[in-house]
Amino acid sequence: MLREQKLSAARRRRRPPLLLLVFGVFLVLVGVTATALVAITTSHLTQVTVNASVERDASLVALFVNSNLRTADLRDGGPGSERSAELSAKLAVLTGEDAILRVDVRSRDGEVLFSTEPSAVGERVSLSDEMRRAFEGGTASVLLSQAADRDVAGPPLAAKTVVSEYLPIIDEAGRTRAVMTMWRDAVPLLAAAERAQRDVVIVVLGAAVVLAAVLFLIFRAAHVRIGRQQAQLVEATRRDPLTGMLNHGAVVAELAGDVERSRGDRDRLAIALLDIDNFTLLNDTHSHMAGDDILVTVADILADEPGFDAGRFGPDEFLLIWPSGDVAKAELSVNALRTSLNAVAVRFGESESLPVSVSIGIAAYPAHAASVTELLSAATVALQEAKASGGDSVRVAERAEDRNAAGSFDIFQGLVIAVDTKDRYTKRHSEDVSRYAAFLAHRLGLDDDTIATIQLSGLLHDIGKIGIPDALLRKPGKLTADEFDVFKQHVALGDAIVRDLPNIEAVREGIRHHHERWDGKGYLQGLEGEAIPMLGRIMAVADAFSAMTTTRPYRKALPVEEALKRLGDAAGSQLQEELVSAFITGIETAPDAPMPGDDAPGIWVPHIKAA
């Protein structure tokens, strides 16, 4: 249990920081939005402030014009020198307050008629767009960063940043007789805009911080909840729904990992296969509900016993693993377990109290086996001996050196039986692939030893599926991308399970490479063309034909004619064209051609002939 918690924590550490990614994107969006909002607000505030200043100054101009100007003052050539000096003096009153730097009145040709700057009187300046707009009767203004560069008559202004205002002077007939130009120091206006901008920034950032905090809490809560649900879903695929223990695939995968760690650390490892005695008879006599009660009872006792990991291995079997243990430690534990079971008595309906007993086979690595397959096979043989002795007993496997090396195929056959326990389709499919691959090898003229190797490779090519969750193997629909990534690992797991068996290298080629494609788009290595070993290419053809002609959880079997047509369509892309052609021709013409189905006839009369 502690090891599972460590693995779960490691998976959480490897999980991509989705919350940080989403939160980072949110902060970027908030930053961009706040920056844009401040820029827009600043521009609008500045324009509003300038417009307010222009409106206020227009009122001053109207008051000045109505109180001081005469029509004669605006005639061509301007007023006389004395009158000009008098008007200039009155204009100077406007510059004494409210940061107005200079004021002058200009004729339609740009001549300064009178001004608060005496030296500017009589000068002509070029007409800017704003001044032309004012002569057309409109009010205009512009914010200048360098006042000396624009429309200034006389010496440069003292301020570098000014608002230049152009206010038309209109007579009673509605004609623009002149334009009053006014320069105002922009610093006080911009200071007011900056204060407003600062307030906007504070409000926006405050709101962003509050929103970020709220969203952070929401995201974190959602992330924790999703992570918890995901962990529960993943764990559910590894658990037996009845007992809550690791299911067949999960406990075998854990055993494979333990063996790898023991190999690297030169450590020892022990397992035990536990079988409930008379379980089938109990089911037949007292119903499956009674059998389920017994299974749950045994599972609860196993959970209470310390020192080993356990999982449901078969309908009435449990696999016990001591990751760092030997036969002596395993025997001590299982004897304590048997003592606990002897104290249990069950009753169903009106039956007498019934005892619960088990038969147990023990094997150890490396004392009894050098690989997962040998270890399971050795424990299975020991278990059969315990059951054959009358049950309620424990047997230890023979040592590896005491067994006949020629019994390797018995080990393989035992593992195929283990696959059949997990999934009937996988075993039948493996047998079909073995038949089809051997048939194709005969058609290619390969020697007998190679054909025998191909037959064995066909039986074992999907052996890694014992470590794939049942929910994926039996899913009645298309796998998702993540599920398919998990499913693809059966190739690597199968290779790891058999790699230490003797004389197995050629067989491993079929296990490792039967999902490679001729065009290089297969898995796990993505090999292409003749880089794929011949045995892998043969196995790919046989595997494809078997998959199409066998009923799967997600679709019914295809007719042979349709399967051959699709096989031909895959030639040159998924499969090697020459092998496909030889296989199709053989199926259509050979009297001993293997057919799909347990009761399929040996000869099939095709509707078409292969080219």
Side-chain angles (χ1 to χ4, degrees):
M1 182 64 69
L2 179 60
R3 183 166 38 155
E4 290 183 26
Q5 293 174 349
K6 291 181 178 179
L7 291 174
S8 177
R11 284 193 293 269
R12 287 196 297 271
R13 287 194 296 271
R14 293 194 297 268
R15 185 179 298 146
L18 179 61
L19 173 63
L20 293 180
L21 178 62
V22 174
F23 194 63
V25 171
F26 164 75
L27 290 181
V28 171
L29 291 176
V30 169
V32 172
T33 302
T35 302
L37 180 60
V38 169
I40 293 172
T41 303
T42 300
S43 175
H44 287 182
L45 284 174
T46 302
Q47 189 62 47
V48 167
T49 303
V50 170
N51 291 343
S53 174
V54 171
E55 290 178 4
R56 185 171 62 253
D57 292 342
S59 299
L60 292 175
V61 169
L63 181 62
F64 175 82
V65 170
N66 293 334
S67 302
N68 300 290
L69 283 186
R70 306 169 193 154
T71 304
D73 295 333
L74 303 176
R75 67 178 185 272
D76 293 340
S81 58
E82 292 182 6
R83 178 65 177 164
S84 177
E86 178 186 354
L87 293 174
S88 295
K90 291 180 178 181
L91 281 177
V93 176
L94 299 178
T95 63
E97 55 182 272
D98 209 17
I100 296 177
L101 302 173
R102 187 175 300 176
V103 183
D104 62 30
V105 176
R106 301 178 180 185
S107 64
R108 298 186 68 85
D109 59 0
E111 180 184 355
V112 179
L113 302 179
F114 44 92
S115 172
T116 57
E117 174 56 50
S119 63
V121 177
E123 286 191 19
R124 292 180 184 275
V125 295
S126 59
L127 298 180
S128 64
D129 292 339
E130 289 78 13
M131 191 179 295
R132 290 191 180 93
R133 193 179 308 132
F135 276 119
E136 294 173 358
T139 299
S141 64
V142 62
L143 181 64
L144 302 174
S145 59
Q146 283 293 335
D149 296 337
R150 184 85 173 269
D151 282 352
V152 178
L157 299 173
K160 292 184 177 180
T161 304
V162 298
V163 176
S164 180
E165 303 174 8
Y166 303 88
L167 307 170
I169 300 175
I170 302 173
D171 61 15
E172 296 177 351
R175 293 175 297 179
T176 301
R177 300 299 297 274
V179 170
M180 180 176 286
T181 307
M182 184 180 297
W183 286 271
R184 177 187 292 276
D185 188 354
V187 172
L189 299 178
L190 295 180
E194 288 174 357
R195 286 193 296 273
Q197 173 187 345
R198 182 190 59 203
D199 294 341
V200 170
V201 170
I202 292 174
V203 172
V204 170
L205 290 181
V209 169
V210 172
L211 183 58
V214 172
L215 287 178
F216 175 79
L217 295 176
I218 294 174
F219 287 155
R220 186 176 65 177
H223 187 70
V224 170
R225 184 172 181 179
I226 292 172
R228 187 184 303 117
Q229 291 175 341
Q230 182 181 16
Q232 291 172 348
L233 288 173
V234 171
E235 188 64 15
T237 65
R238 304 178 66 247
R239 294 287 171 181
D240 173 55
L242 176 63
T243 63
M245 305 181 75
L246 293 177
N247 59 26
H248 180 101
V251 73
V252 171
E254 184 163 325
L255 174 61
D258 288 337
V259 169
E260 288 300 312
R261 282 187 289 274
S262 297
R263 180 181 288 111
D265 298 338
R266 298 183 181 277
D267 202 357
R268 293 173 299 176
L269 176 148
I271 69 168
L273 278 178
L274 180 152
D275 182 273
I276 300 174
D277 293 331
N278 302 318
F279 186 77
T280 301
L281 183 60
L282 179 71
N283 269 340
D284 294 342
T285 305
H286 299 290
S287 82
H288 288 284
M289 292 183 63
D292 289 347
D293 288 343
I294 296 293
L295 287 170
V296 172
T297 299
V298 173
D300 289 342
I301 293 176
L302 290 175
D304 291 337
E305 294 292 333
F308 56 83
D309 299 323
R312 188 175 178 186
F313 190 73
D316 57 345
E317 294 176 335
F318 296 88
L319 175 62
L320 284 54
I321 305 172
W322 290 263
S324 296
D326 54 14
V327 170
K329 184 175 181 180
E331 283 188 297
L332 185 64
S333 293
V334 298
N335 284 323
L337 175 63
R338 291 177 62 216
T339 300
S340 299
L341 285 172
N342 287 335
V344 174
V346 295
R347 297 185 63 175
F348 302 105
E350 299 180 355
S351 73
E352 299 290 336
S353 294
L354 303 176
V356 177
S357 65
V358 293
S359 299
I360 301 173
I362 298 175
Y365 170 89
H368 301 127
S371 67
V372 175
T373 53
E374 287 184 342
L375 193 60
L376 288 171
S377 179
T380 299
V381 171
L383 173 61
Q384 295 301 323
E385 292 175 356
K387 293 173 67 175
S389 67
D392 193 20
S393 61
V394 179
R395 292 289 185 272
V396 178
E398 297 179 3
R399 298 183 63 85
E401 56 266 27
D402 296 333
R403 294 197 303 269
N404 187 348
S408 293
F409 184 79
D410 293 335
I411 295 174
F412 298 150
Q413 189 65 33
L415 194 54
V416 170
I417 293 172
V419 174
D420 187 34
T421 300
K422 178 173 178 66
D423 183 44
R424 172 58 184 158
Y425 162 74
T426 300
K427 179 174 181 289
R428 174 177 171 180
H429 167 67
S430 298
E431 293 170 346
D432 286 346
V433 169
S434 179
R435 291 191 298 127
Y436 300 147
F439 174 73
L440 177 55
H442 277 293
R443 301 290 300 178
L444 297 174
L446 301 182
D447 60 81
D448 291 342
D449 289 342
T450 301
I451 293 174
T453 298
I454 288 173
Q455 285 179 307
L456 182 56
S457 183
L459 288 174
L460 298 178
H461 79 286
D462 271 347
I463 202 70
K465 286 184 179 179
I466 64 174
I468 301 301
D470 293 346
L472 301 189
L473 279 182
R474 301 172 184 174
K475 182 176 180 180
K478 185 176 181 181
L479 299 180
T480 66
D482 290 340
E483 290 172 337
F484 188 60
D485 286 339
V486 173
F487 178 80
K488 289 191 292 187
Q489 296 308 311
H490 77 273
V491 175
L493 180 57
D495 185 54
I497 288 174
V498 305
R499 71 180 185 183
D500 293 319
L501 295 178
N503 305 318
I504 199 67
E505 188 57 40
V507 174
R508 289 177 63 194
E509 291 182 355
I511 297 174
R512 283 199 306 262
H513 302 303
H514 69 277
H515 281 298
E516 301 288 354
R517 290 173 55 109
W518 184 253
D519 57 11
K521 297 179 181 178
Y523 61 88
L524 286 168
Q525 294 177 253
L527 300 180
E528 181 179 359
E530 294 187 358
I532 306 170
M534 172 61 80
L535 197 148
R537 284 177 267 158
I538 291 174
M539 208 64 58
V541 175
D543 184 67
F545 184 69
S546 173
M548 288 188 287
T549 56
T550 307
T551 295
R552 314 291 289 273
Y554 53 87
R555 64 153 172 77
K556 294 182 68 66
L558 297 176
V560 173
E561 299 94 325
E562 178 64 21
L564 291 180
K565 178 181 179 299
R566 296 190 184 188
L567 204 67
D569 293 340
S573 56
Q574 177 183 348
L575 307 169
Q576 184 178 358
E577 187 171 1
E578 293 81 3
L579 299 184
V580 171
S581 177
F583 184 80
I584 294 176
T585 301
I587 292 293
E588 292 183 329
T589 61
D592 60 343
M595 290 294 110
D598 294 332
D599 302 319
I603 303 175
W604 170 63
V605 180
H607 296 294
I608 58 173
K609 296 293 183 180

